[in-house]
Amino acid sequence: MSTASAHQFFSACASVGGALIGLLFVAISVAPERVLGPDASDVHGVRAAATLTAFTNALTVVLFGLIPGFNAGHAAMVVAILGLLFISAGLLRLYPGWRAGQIRLLDIGFLVGLLGVFVIQLIAGIRLVRDGRDGGDLQTICVLVIVCFLIGIERAWELVGGPSVNLPHEFLVRIRARREPSEADDGEGDQP
């Protein structure tokens, strides 16, 4: 199985990637103060860069995969290495804020997801270059392209300040809401 067998997938993803990168720039222009302004946090800056990195990673792989006779494993390896360098730079940028207690580990969790993507992509890219007929590695790279799109979309949503609706967060909110009134009642009952 060669990368030519994924031509239709790569073609569709090239269109999706281009559109998502355009929408990312629109999202940043809607709320530029969160990312570009003088009061912009390092977390938002790294989050914006991570979004662009995820989208360009996917777009680069699929565009090179469209070149006749070109093994997409080469592109997957190169952009995975660049992605790993980006994660290193992002962590270095955020480390002082984390040490100062201004950034929580949860705020940089998105980098862990990208780290996983880039490591798996690098391994699959190396294996695809070694044996271009291995459909499993090509399929892994195709899945990672989709994962990069999904990670990028989620980061873009956070950049524009969209609400975070996820099950663990909703449980925590409900548990805290239940505890707060009962703690207030306990405190009032102890006073004469």
Side-chain angles (χ1 to χ4, degrees):
M1 179 180 228
S2 68
T3 55
S5 65
H7 188 271
Q8 286 181 325
F9 174 79
F10 287 157
S11 182
C13 286
S15 298
V16 169
L20 288 173
I21 289 172
L23 288 173
L24 172 63
F25 285 103
V26 170
I28 291 172
S29 68
V30 167
E33 66 283 350
R34 292 181 62 110
V35 179
L36 307 171
D39 297 327
S41 75
D42 282 341
V43 171
H44 287 313
V46 171
R47 195 172 281 153
T51 304
L52 185 59
T53 300
F55 287 157
T56 55
N57 174 68
L59 185 61
T60 302
V61 170
V62 300
L63 287 176
F64 277 98
L66 288 171
I67 297 172
F70 190 85
N71 184 329
H74 291 100
M77 287 184 338
V78 170
V79 291
I81 291 168
L82 293 174
L84 292 169
L85 291 172
F86 162 77
I87 289 174
S88 299
L91 289 172
L92 285 174
R93 182 172 175 183
L94 295 175
Y95 182 73
W98 176 75
R99 291 269 314 202
Q102 299 166 339
I103 297 173
R104 302 172 301 158
L105 285 177
L106 187 61
D107 291 331
I108 59 174
F110 63 92
L111 291 174
V112 174
L114 275 178
L115 174 66
V117 167
F118 294 139
V119 167
I120 295 168
Q121 181 176 307
L122 179 60
I123 293 167
I126 290 169
R127 291 174 56 177
L128 188 60
V129 167
R130 282 191 195 154
D131 183 9
R133 299 172 309 229
D134 187 348
D137 294 320
L138 178 61
Q139 188 175 34
T140 297
I141 290 172
C142 290
V143 168
L144 292 174
V145 164
I146 295 169
V147 169
C148 281
F149 287 152
L150 295 174
I151 288 172
I153 290 167
E154 184 180 1
R155 297 291 79 80
W157 182 250
E158 290 174 352
L159 283 173
V160 297
S164 174
V165 180
N166 62 54
L167 194 56
H169 174 73
E170 294 303 316
F171 280 135
L172 285 174
V173 167
R174 303 247 181 310
I175 290 169
R176 286 182 187 144
R178 282 187 169 173
R179 285 185 184 166
E180 289 174 9
S182 65
E183 289 172 5
D185 292 342
D186 292 343
E188 292 172 6
D190 294 341
Q191 297 175 355

